[in-house]
Amino acid sequence: MALLFCSGFLYATWGVHVPTVKAMFDLNDASLSVAMFAVAGGAIVTMSRLARWVGRAGSQRASLHSGIALALTSAFILSMPSYWGLVGWLALYGAANATYDVAVNAQAATLESRYRKPIMASLHGCFSLGGMAGALVGGVWLAHHGSPQWHIGLAALGCAVVIIVGARFMQPDMLPGEAPVASADTEPSPARAHTPPPVLSEASRRKLHRKLMGFGVLAFLGLVVEGAMYDWTAVYMREVVSAQGAWIGAGYAAFSVGMAAGRFSGDPVRARMGGARLLRASSLVCVGGVLLALLWREPAAAVAGFALAGLGLSNVMPVMFAASGEVARSAGMASAEAIAVMARLAYLGLLIGPVLIGAIAHGISLPVALAAGLLCIVPIAALAPKMLAGVDGRATASSKD
């Protein structure tokens, strides 16, 4: 939980300083977009190769090393002497962030398998809390005219200390065929050396990749909508709802609170219902929330709608991460490699979503664009039962033992 909190905190700290970067280099919107795309580009280009390293090293060691790399690359973002130096450094930051993300989620999948109860959503809830805390601390720091370099440097240093201490308490990865602990109250098994999983045949690997790509498609669809909500709620509140003052940012805040609340409450619901039924129900909640915001154009109603949208989207990624880790362990692939296959496709949604919404908003209108985004939610509700059939059965059975 602490390591995922740090991930969210550092990402939000960088997000707070996007305007700082724009002012430092006197960038126009196009140049700033290139810099922001460098973060995602570095992640997507390197994720597959670095995930194999995570699989060989083990998620415990990889979380420590990639966490230190993430803190270092975060600390010096605002120290770049030139624009192209910044772009290159942000690509390194994106690669470190992606590697850390894969490593800590592989560890989360291991913990969920060992304790035989859903915990993934609560762990991701800490990422959401870290994001909110990072944005709040950054806002207060800048409001008091603190040095941006000192802010990002101290944030990186504090998170590095937490990562170094926290990594000591992480568990060895689950190996294929290894039995989990008897119950959540049983002491975890003692640490052992990490052993690479057995080599999969080419046919088995292709079959597993197809299943993981299916999970990635569902996660991609969820992140298209999530990215659109993060980037366009404030614009919608200001330009469509005609909100004033604090109401403008309230839609973004409500969506973030809905995401965190849904994740902290999602694990017991998944234990009772299974991942497929949870995604079906939460998809309906998301659709209802967005429609409320679109059809009732009052600030309070729109804020409530965006909160419901966050609640509905909150468990898509945790369910997909958990399913990828479980399928990998059962098939003989390292959890980190499987998570990377799924996440590499999924995170394209964060890039494509805001751009797609922006294009439709420019051509037609923002309300129509956000309504079109709901078309991504329908396949999640329709396809989740089939895609999660075997995985849901194992997870649910484990949680009831």
Side-chain angles (χ1 to χ4, degrees):
M1 292 175 85
L3 267 65
L4 275 161
F5 181 93
C6 286
S7 178
F9 192 92
L10 287 175
Y11 195 77
T13 300
W14 145 243
V16 165
H17 287 294
V18 169
T20 306
V21 165
K22 186 176 184 181
M24 278 176 61
F25 296 101
D26 193 24
L27 303 179
N28 57 32
D29 288 342
S31 298
L32 182 63
S33 295
V34 171
M36 294 176 72
F37 269 102
V39 178
I44 292 167
V45 168
T46 60
M47 186 178 284
S48 180
R49 185 182 299 274
L50 290 172
R52 293 192 187 99
W53 169 75
V54 175
R56 292 192 302 270
S59 63
Q60 182 179 27
R61 181 178 158 210
S63 294
L64 173 62
H65 291 178
S66 61
I68 293 173
L70 175 60
L72 284 172
T73 51
S74 298
F76 294 102
I77 287 175
L78 300 182
S79 301
M80 293 299 105
S82 67
Y83 169 70
W84 289 111
L86 171 72
V87 171
W89 192 259
L90 287 175
L92 290 176
Y93 165 79
N97 188 53
T99 308
Y100 183 70
D101 192 44
V102 169
V104 294
N105 276 289
Q107 174 68 194
T110 283
L111 291 175
E112 185 163 284
S113 293
R114 286 192 182 282
Y115 287 96
R116 302 205 295 182
K117 62 185 293 187
I119 61 170
M120 185 69 76
S122 295
L123 297 178
H124 278 245
C126 284
F127 175 87
S128 299
L129 285 183
M132 287 189 282
L136 178 63
V137 170
V140 171
W141 185 282
L142 294 179
H144 287 80
H145 307 289
S147 163
Q149 285 84 359
W150 274 101
H151 171 229
I152 202 167
L154 289 173
L157 177 62
C159 287
V161 171
V162 173
I163 290 166
I164 290 168
V165 173
R168 297 177 56 201
F169 298 96
M170 299 175 83
Q171 295 297 303
D173 291 340
M174 290 283 288
L175 298 179
E178 181 182 345
V181 296
S183 72
D185 298 323
T186 306
E187 287 294 320
S189 58
R192 51 170 170 70
H194 176 75
T195 306
V199 177
L200 284 169
S201 69
E202 193 58 35
S204 298
R205 182 174 288 274
R206 282 198 300 269
K207 183 178 179 181
L208 180 56
H209 267 249
R210 284 195 296 270
K211 191 169 188 67
L212 292 168
M213 291 292 281
F215 293 160
V217 168
L218 295 187
F220 168 87
L221 293 172
L223 286 182
V224 165
V225 182
E226 185 177 331
M229 291 292 112
Y230 278 127
D231 283 20
W232 288 98
T233 49
V235 178
Y236 179 83
M237 293 295 292
R238 184 180 65 247
E239 296 184 359
V240 179
V241 180
S242 300
Q244 302 293 322
W247 281 109
I248 294 174
Y252 180 98
F255 180 79
S256 299
V257 169
M259 289 284 288
R263 285 175 171 173
F264 281 116
S265 61
D267 289 326
V269 178
R270 180 158 69 97
R272 192 176 308 112
M273 299 173 58
R277 289 175 64 193
L278 171 59
L279 291 186
R280 270 193 163 178
S282 58
S283 296
L284 293 176
V285 172
C286 177
V287 170
V290 175
L291 288 177
L292 174 62
L294 293 177
L295 297 177
W296 193 355
R297 296 179 184 179
E298 292 291 332
V303 167
F306 287 131
L308 289 174
L311 186 66
L313 284 172
S314 59
N315 283 285
V316 175
M317 286 304 291
V319 169
M320 292 302 110
F321 274 121
S324 299
E326 177 62 27
V327 164
R329 191 179 68 82
S330 301
M333 177 186 279
S335 293
E337 185 178 350
I339 285 170
V341 171
M342 184 277 295
R344 191 179 186 188
L345 176 58
Y347 288 152
L348 285 173
L350 285 176
L351 286 178
I352 292 174
V355 175
L356 220 92
I357 296 299
I360 299 173
H362 179 73
I364 308 176
S365 71
L366 183 53
V368 170
L370 293 177
L374 293 179
L375 296 176
C376 295
I377 301 299
V378 175
I380 296 175
L383 298 176
K386 181 178 180 180
M387 292 199 178
L388 294 171
V391 185
D392 247 6
R394 286 195 294 272
T396 305
S398 293
S399 66
K400 291 178 179 178
D401 284 347

Short mmCIF file of all heavy atoms in Angstrom, two decimals, residues 87-111:
data_model
loop_
_atom_site.label_atom_id
_atom_site.label_comp_id
_atom_site.label_asym_id
_atom_site.label_seq_id
_atom_site.Cartn_x
_atom_site.Cartn_y
_atom_site.Cartn_z
N VAL A 87 12.61 16.37 -22.88
CA VAL A 87 11.86 15.31 -23.56
C VAL A 87 12.53 13.96 -23.35
O VAL A 87 11.88 12.96 -23.02
CB VAL A 87 11.74 15.63 -25.07
CG1 VAL A 87 11.17 14.43 -25.83
CG2 VAL A 87 10.85 16.85 -25.28
N GLY A 88 13.86 13.92 -23.50
CA GLY A 88 14.58 12.67 -23.28
C GLY A 88 14.48 12.19 -21.85
O GLY A 88 14.30 10.99 -21.58
N TRP A 89 14.58 13.14 -20.91
CA TRP A 89 14.51 12.76 -19.49
C TRP A 89 13.11 12.26 -19.13
O TRP A 89 12.97 11.31 -18.36
CB TRP A 89 14.88 13.96 -18.62
CG TRP A 89 15.10 13.58 -17.18
CD1 TRP A 89 14.23 13.74 -16.15
CD2 TRP A 89 16.26 12.95 -16.63
NE1 TRP A 89 14.78 13.25 -14.98
CE2 TRP A 89 16.02 12.76 -15.24
CE3 TRP A 89 17.48 12.54 -17.17
CZ2 TRP A 89 16.97 12.19 -14.40
CZ3 TRP A 89 18.43 11.96 -16.33
CH2 TRP A 89 18.16 11.78 -14.96
N LEU A 90 12.08 12.88 -19.70
CA LEU A 90 10.72 12.42 -19.43
C LEU A 90 10.47 11.03 -19.99
O LEU A 90 9.70 10.25 -19.43
CB LEU A 90 9.70 13.41 -20.02
CG LEU A 90 9.56 14.74 -19.27
CD1 LEU A 90 8.61 15.67 -20.01
CD2 LEU A 90 9.05 14.51 -17.84
N ALA A 91 11.14 10.69 -21.10
CA ALA A 91 11.03 9.31 -21.62
C ALA A 91 11.64 8.33 -20.62
O ALA A 91 11.09 7.25 -20.39
CB ALA A 91 11.72 9.21 -22.98
N LEU A 92 12.79 8.70 -20.01
CA LEU A 92 13.39 7.86 -18.97
C LEU A 92 12.47 7.75 -17.76
O LEU A 92 12.31 6.67 -17.17
CB LEU A 92 14.75 8.43 -18.55
CG LEU A 92 15.89 8.34 -19.57
CD1 LEU A 92 17.13 9.04 -19.01
CD2 LEU A 92 16.20 6.89 -19.90
N TYR A 93 11.88 8.88 -17.38
CA TYR A 93 10.93 8.87 -16.27
C TYR A 93 9.75 7.94 -16.58
O TYR A 93 9.32 7.16 -15.72
CB TYR A 93 10.43 10.30 -16.02
CG TYR A 93 9.18 10.37 -15.16
CD1 TYR A 93 9.26 10.24 -13.78
CD2 TYR A 93 7.93 10.56 -15.74
CE1 TYR A 93 8.12 10.30 -12.99
CE2 TYR A 93 6.78 10.63 -14.96
CZ TYR A 93 6.88 10.49 -13.60
OH TYR A 93 5.74 10.53 -12.82
N GLY A 94 9.23 8.00 -17.81
CA GLY A 94 8.13 7.13 -18.19
C GLY A 94 8.52 5.66 -18.13
O GLY A 94 7.74 4.82 -17.69
N ALA A 95 9.74 5.33 -18.57
CA ALA A 95 10.22 3.95 -18.52
C ALA A 95 10.34 3.46 -17.08
O ALA A 95 9.93 2.34 -16.74
CB ALA A 95 11.55 3.83 -19.24
N ALA A 96 10.91 4.32 -16.21
CA ALA A 96 11.04 3.95 -14.79
C ALA A 96 9.68 3.77 -14.14
O ALA A 96 9.45 2.84 -13.37
CB ALA A 96 11.86 5.01 -14.05
N ASN A 97 8.76 4.68 -14.46
CA ASN A 97 7.41 4.61 -13.90
C ASN A 97 6.69 3.33 -14.33
O ASN A 97 6.02 2.67 -13.54
CB ASN A 97 6.62 5.84 -14.33
CG ASN A 97 5.28 5.95 -13.63
OD1 ASN A 97 5.19 5.90 -12.41
ND2 ASN A 97 4.22 6.07 -14.42
N ALA A 98 6.84 2.96 -15.62
CA ALA A 98 6.19 1.75 -16.12
C ALA A 98 6.78 0.51 -15.47
O ALA A 98 6.04 -0.43 -15.11
CB ALA A 98 6.35 1.68 -17.64
N THR A 99 8.10 0.47 -15.32
CA THR A 99 8.74 -0.70 -14.70
C THR A 99 8.30 -0.84 -13.24
O THR A 99 7.99 -1.94 -12.77
CB THR A 99 10.27 -0.56 -14.77
OG1 THR A 99 10.66 -0.29 -16.11
CG2 THR A 99 10.95 -1.84 -14.31
N TYR A 100 8.27 0.27 -12.55
CA TYR A 100 7.82 0.26 -11.15
C TYR A 100 6.37 -0.19 -11.06
O TYR A 100 6.00 -0.99 -10.18
CB TYR A 100 7.99 1.65 -10.56
CG TYR A 100 7.64 1.78 -9.10
CD1 TYR A 100 8.43 1.21 -8.11
CD2 TYR A 100 6.51 2.49 -8.69
CE1 TYR A 100 8.12 1.34 -6.77
CE2 TYR A 100 6.19 2.64 -7.35
CZ TYR A 100 6.99 2.05 -6.39
OH TYR A 100 6.67 2.17 -5.06
N ASP A 101 5.54 0.29 -11.98
CA ASP A 101 4.13 -0.08 -11.99
C ASP A 101 3.96 -1.58 -12.17
O ASP A 101 3.17 -2.23 -11.47
CB ASP A 101 3.43 0.69 -13.12
CG ASP A 101 1.91 0.60 -13.03
OD1 ASP A 101 1.38 0.76 -11.91
OD2 ASP A 101 1.27 0.38 -14.05
N VAL A 102 4.70 -2.16 -13.13
CA VAL A 102 4.63 -3.60 -13.37
C VAL A 102 5.11 -4.37 -12.13
O VAL A 102 4.50 -5.35 -11.70
CB VAL A 102 5.46 -3.99 -14.61
CG1 VAL A 102 5.63 -5.51 -14.71
CG2 VAL A 102 4.81 -3.46 -15.87
N ALA A 103 6.22 -3.92 -11.53
CA ALA A 103 6.81 -4.64 -10.40
C ALA A 103 5.87 -4.64 -9.18
O ALA A 103 5.64 -5.68 -8.56
CB ALA A 103 8.15 -4.01 -10.03
N VAL A 104 5.32 -3.47 -8.83
CA VAL A 104 4.48 -3.43 -7.63
C VAL A 104 3.15 -4.15 -7.87
O VAL A 104 2.59 -4.74 -6.94
CB VAL A 104 4.25 -1.98 -7.14
CG1 VAL A 104 5.54 -1.37 -6.66
CG2 VAL A 104 3.60 -1.12 -8.19
N ASN A 105 2.65 -4.14 -9.11
CA ASN A 105 1.42 -4.88 -9.38
C ASN A 105 1.66 -6.38 -9.43
O ASN A 105 0.78 -7.17 -9.08
CB ASN A 105 0.78 -4.38 -10.67
CG ASN A 105 -0.07 -3.14 -10.44
OD1 ASN A 105 -1.14 -3.21 -9.83
ND2 ASN A 105 0.41 -1.99 -10.90
N ALA A 106 2.86 -6.80 -9.84
CA ALA A 106 3.21 -8.22 -9.76
C ALA A 106 3.29 -8.66 -8.30
O ALA A 106 2.84 -9.75 -7.94
CB ALA A 106 4.54 -8.47 -10.46
N GLN A 107 3.83 -7.79 -7.44
CA GLN A 107 3.85 -8.09 -6.02
C GLN A 107 2.44 -8.15 -5.45
O GLN A 107 2.12 -9.02 -4.63
CB GLN A 107 4.68 -7.04 -5.27
CG GLN A 107 4.68 -7.15 -3.76
CD GLN A 107 5.40 -8.39 -3.23
OE1 GLN A 107 5.26 -8.74 -2.06
NE2 GLN A 107 6.18 -9.06 -4.06
N ALA A 108 1.58 -7.22 -5.89
CA ALA A 108 0.19 -7.23 -5.44
C ALA A 108 -0.51 -8.52 -5.84
O ALA A 108 -1.29 -9.09 -5.07
CB ALA A 108 -0.55 -6.02 -6.00
N ALA A 109 -0.25 -8.99 -7.07
CA ALA A 109 -0.84 -10.26 -7.53
C ALA A 109 -0.34 -11.42 -6.68
O ALA A 109 -1.10 -12.34 -6.35
CB ALA A 109 -0.51 -10.49 -9.00
N THR A 110 0.94 -11.38 -6.30
CA THR A 110 1.50 -12.41 -5.43
C THR A 110 0.80 -12.40 -4.07
O THR A 110 0.41 -13.44 -3.53
CB THR A 110 3.01 -12.18 -5.24
OG1 THR A 110 3.69 -12.64 -6.41
CG2 THR A 110 3.56 -12.94 -4.04
N LEU A 111 0.63 -11.21 -3.48
CA LEU A 111 -0.01 -11.12 -2.18
C LEU A 111 -1.46 -11.62 -2.24
O LEU A 111 -1.92 -12.32 -1.34
CB LEU A 111 0.02 -9.68 -1.68
CG LEU A 111 1.39 -9.13 -1.29
CD1 LEU A 111 1.29 -7.66 -0.93
CD2 LEU A 111 1.98 -9.93 -0.14
#
